[in-house]
Amino acid sequence: EDGRDGVYCTENLTVTSNGGNIFMPSVSSGNTPPTSLTLSAGTGSINLGLGVFNPNVGTVTDNSAEKVLSTKLQVTDGNLHLNSIPVLLENTNTISATGSISTGSIEVNQDNVSLTISAGTSITVGNIGTLQLSSYYPKSVTIGSGTLANITSIRTSGGDITITPPAVVSQDAVIETPEGNISFGSTVNGAHNLTLIAGALKSISFGAAIGNTTPLSSLKIQAYRDWE
């Protein structure tokens, strides 16, 4: 499916490719209430191109795909649900929605990208900086707003890792930055092992209780050592 000139939705839109790729350089709508967009590529990939979801494009859902590529993932009036699909951000640093966000792993395709994720409600993300789709770690990672952040492993090339909302560790995880600080702005919970590795002479800080509702299985804190 190829919407090479962009897509303007006049009603709710579902696009299914049954294994082929889906390409949409931009999506917009003038509808009130907001239009919803549902994409299913099966084993194909979804390329959202400019990915500018203008006002009145509400919930965006990707039911299935090998991966999602986009230069911008911003939903201005609803949710962004990519489920567990891996995301490769091309020349951008922002994932945002006024509602909730759910994605698989997140990677960037160039060096020195400071990644920011923000939502009006909950955020659920897979591993960030896995080097499965790209050769670059994000420079820094900020989960800046949201009511809850469900997190797994995060790795940066050296910048800070900041998680502002209450955090829930959804599987055994390593959060690591070779040269930066790690900070949690609120509580940290989850019945899993959590390892935090910050730069030498840098800090790891917590804004509230650890394990106040669901204790961590274990917590390991250490300084980064490049021979490990």
Side-chain angles (χ1 to χ4, degrees):
E1 302 289 338
D2 190 339
R4 195 168 298 276
D5 294 326
V7 175
Y8 184 87
C9 300
T10 58
E11 58 185 35
N12 293 341
L13 175 64
T14 299
V15 179
T16 303
S17 69
N18 294 319
N21 299 325
I22 297 175
F23 175 57
M24 291 184 173
S26 65
V27 183
S28 61
S29 174
N31 285 4
T32 302
T35 296
S36 65
L37 173 66
T38 302
L39 306 174
S40 298
T43 56
S45 63
I46 296 173
N47 189 332
L48 295 175
L50 295 175
V52 180
F53 299 112
N54 293 324
N56 298 320
V57 176
T59 297
V60 178
T61 303
D62 291 341
N63 284 333
S64 62
E66 177 188 25
K67 59 187 175 184
V68 173
L69 302 91
S70 183
T71 59
K72 195 174 187 180
L73 282 175
Q74 296 186 20
V75 178
T76 57
D77 200 354
N79 307 313
L80 176 63
H81 289 169
L82 306 183
N83 299 315
S84 58
I85 301 171
V87 175
L88 177 60
L89 295 175
E90 299 185 315
N91 307 313
T92 190
N93 64 348
T94 301
I95 299 176
S96 66
T98 55
S100 61
I101 292 174
S102 62
T103 77
S105 61
I106 301 173
E107 296 190 48
V108 297
N109 76 336
Q110 63 184 19
D111 202 8
N112 293 318
V113 173
S114 297
L115 175 63
T116 299
I117 303 170
S118 60
T121 57
S122 65
I123 297 171
T124 300
V125 293
N127 295 331
I128 299 175
T130 60
L131 301 190
Q132 298 297 308
L133 301 176
S134 168
S135 300
Y136 302 102
Y137 293 113
K139 179 181 179 181
S140 64
V141 173
T142 300
I143 299 178
S145 65
T147 57
L148 185 70
N150 296 286
I151 59 173
T152 56
S153 294
I154 301 173
R155 172 66 153 82
T156 71
S157 62
D160 292 348
I161 298 172
T162 304
I163 301 170
T164 302
V168 174
V169 182
S170 54
Q171 64 184 44
D172 291 352
V174 177
I175 297 178
E176 178 179 6
T177 170
E179 300 174 354
N181 304 299
I182 298 173
S183 63
F184 293 88
S186 187
T187 56
V188 182
N189 287 281
H192 298 282
N193 301 311
L194 176 61
T195 298
L196 304 176
I197 306 173
L201 304 179
K202 297 296 183 175
S203 66
I204 296 175
S205 60
F206 300 91
I210 302 171
N212 63 311
T213 58
T214 305
L216 299 173
S217 298
S218 69
L219 174 63
K220 182 179 181 181
I221 296 176
Q222 67 184 69
Y224 180 81
R225 293 178 294 198
D226 59 11
W227 60 84
E228 291 186 333

